Amino acid sequence: MDSTRLVERFCRYVSCDSESGNEQRFCELIESELRALGLNVKRDEVGNKCGSNGWNVYACLPGQGEPILFSAHMDTVSPGIGIKPVLRDGVIYSSGDTILAADDKAGIAAIMEALEIIKETSAVHRPVEVLFTVCEEVGLLGAKYADYSNIKSKQAVVLDSGAPGSMVNNAPAKVELSVEITGRAAHAAVDPDKGINAVKAAAAAIARIPSGVVDDYTVMNVANFLSPGKSNVVPEKANFNIDLRSFDTNILEEHILQVDSMLKSACQEIGATYKLEVDRQFDILFIPPENPLIARLQEVYASLGVPSSIEKTYGGADSTWLFYNGLDAINIGTGMTDVHSTGEHIALRDLEMLTKVTLEMMRPA
């Protein structure tokens, strides 16, 4: 492995801005590099559905045996403009005023470097498919709207988790609840009794809605409370959102009904009304621990001297939509640390190991 080239590749990728919705320039960069490596490249035009000027990039490389898909996402969170990577004491950081974008350009760099090693060594390999997605950070949208008719693989390795050696095989279903409460506006000093305070109804409802870990299978979070207006007017509108995730779909539905009941009672107490919208964003991911893909990953990790673990997470990843569309998809750890912050970093040794794991997974078992 050429460590210098790997670092240069990673730094080139993170230096190319691609915040969610503005991935076009990075899409073009990756397309050109994939073509230079001899892969067949196809644009998966999902931008209009995702609110992006970019697109998913699909590519394939013929080989021997059963095909395997490698996936990572091209978009980043903000602040992700003008990233300046810095290598210090074997660790790559940003300059401190932006994210680093190891989430998920570490995954992309490892896949691309493994492909380049295959090309320059003429190594025997499985048929390799690649799917790089847009708008993962804003709801897994690129993977949700991907054209799965392109994909022939039944196994997928997603490079978008944290600790090296981790294999995420279980993730929850998620819904986003949008609440709008309507009261009645009135002058707060002249005619306060004619008003119905939407903020009071919303606050009463929120006080009853659980937040955090609410049972053995479920987490909830209330956020984005909004009621713009003047302080001398009884507020007519109040809005907020609820992030609800559960490993049990029946329990998920029960919590939705409970939220509806809490909203109803809080509004009835003061005469307000409400509207509850439910956006089912993704379903449960579960790959049994005895699955052959997990067994193969365990073999590869063991051969490289990396301790491995099978894990579940409340976080979302593109693996959920790959699984939904018929692939056995495992999300593996990349070594990215403190993601979504200006302190994000990745150790070079972890990036090198990720590349080795990816390369071994491309080889015939």
Side-chain angles (χ1 to χ4, degrees), residues 1-261:
M1 179 187 302
D2 188 335
S3 295
T4 300
R5 184 177 67 191
L6 177 60
V7 171
E8 290 175 348
R9 182 188 300 280
F10 176 76
C11 291
R12 180 168 68 254
Y13 292 170
V14 302
S15 298
C16 183
D17 300 343
S18 60
E19 288 185 345
S20 301
N22 191 33
E23 301 98 335
Q24 179 179 352
R25 193 159 68 93
F26 189 67
C27 292
E28 292 169 344
L29 171 64
I30 289 298
E31 280 184 333
S32 66
E33 293 195 9
L34 284 165
R35 289 194 177 98
L37 291 172
L39 278 76
N40 299 315
V41 179
K42 182 177 181 180
R43 288 187 180 184
D44 183 5
E45 299 282 5
V46 299
N48 289 338
K49 296 178 180 178
C50 300
S52 171
N53 61 9
W55 50 86
N56 293 341
V57 176
Y58 168 82
C60 59
L61 181 68
Q64 301 177 16
E66 292 297 317
I68 184 169
L69 175 75
F70 294 86
S71 183
H73 65 86
M74 297 181 287
D75 64 313
T76 76
V77 298
S78 60
I81 298 176
I83 296 171
K84 297 179 179 63
V86 178
L87 177 61
R88 186 170 65 250
D89 299 327
V91 179
I92 307 174
Y93 303 86
S94 77
S95 58
D97 55 355
T98 68
I99 59 166
L100 176 61
D103 180 11
D104 190 22
K105 292 179 180 177
I108 296 174
I111 294 168
M112 296 296 290
E113 185 65 21
L115 287 168
E116 183 140 355
I117 292 170
I118 283 177
K119 179 185 178 183
E120 67 186 4
T121 62
S122 300
V124 176
H125 59 87
R126 299 171 65 174
V128 174
E129 295 184 291
V130 173
L131 179 65
F132 295 140
T133 61
V134 295
C135 291
E136 189 270 355
E137 297 287 7
V138 289
L140 315 183
L141 298 181
K144 178 179 181 179
Y145 295 117
D147 182 356
Y148 286 91
S149 68
N150 291 324
I151 298 172
K152 305 300 185 291
S153 299
K154 296 302 181 184
Q155 294 182 334
V157 178
V158 177
L159 290 72
D160 189 25
S161 187
S166 64
M167 299 174 288
V168 176
N169 74 321
N170 193 191
K174 176 191 173 184
V175 296
E176 180 87 8
L177 306 180
S178 298
V179 179
E180 180 181 79
I181 292 180
T182 302
R184 183 188 304 124
H187 195 291
V190 178
D191 294 309
D193 292 338
K194 292 183 179 179
I196 298 175
N197 195 311
V199 168
K200 295 287 286 185
I206 289 171
R208 301 169 194 181
I209 295 169
S211 187
V213 178
V214 299
D215 58 49
D216 291 340
Y217 305 94
T218 311
V219 293
M220 296 176 67
N221 186 54
V222 179
N224 303 326
F225 188 96
L226 183 65
S227 182
K230 297 180 179 179
S231 60
N232 65 345
V233 177
V234 176
E236 183 180 23
K237 298 285 186 180
N239 301 270
F240 60 93
N241 302 109
I242 303 171
D243 184 303
L244 172 57
R245 307 177 190 222
S246 182
F247 289 98
D248 187 306
T249 54
N250 291 328
I251 292 176
L252 185 80
E253 295 298 331
E254 289 174 6
H255 281 295
I256 295 172
L257 292 175
Q258 289 170 1
V259 167
D260 186 74
S261 176

Side-chain angles (χ1 to χ4, degrees), residues 300-348:
V300 168
Y301 282 125
S303 71
L304 296 171
V306 179
S308 63
S309 60
I310 301 172
E311 301 179 2
K312 71 176 184 178
T313 178
Y314 275 107
D318 285 346
S319 50
T320 297
W321 280 108
L322 295 173
F323 175 69
Y324 180 84
N325 283 277
L327 286 83
D328 291 340
I330 298 295
N331 185 10
I332 67 172
T334 66
M336 56 186 177
T337 304
D338 293 338
V339 298
H340 295 194
S341 79
T342 56
E344 183 184 10
H345 59 279
I346 187 168
L348 176 55

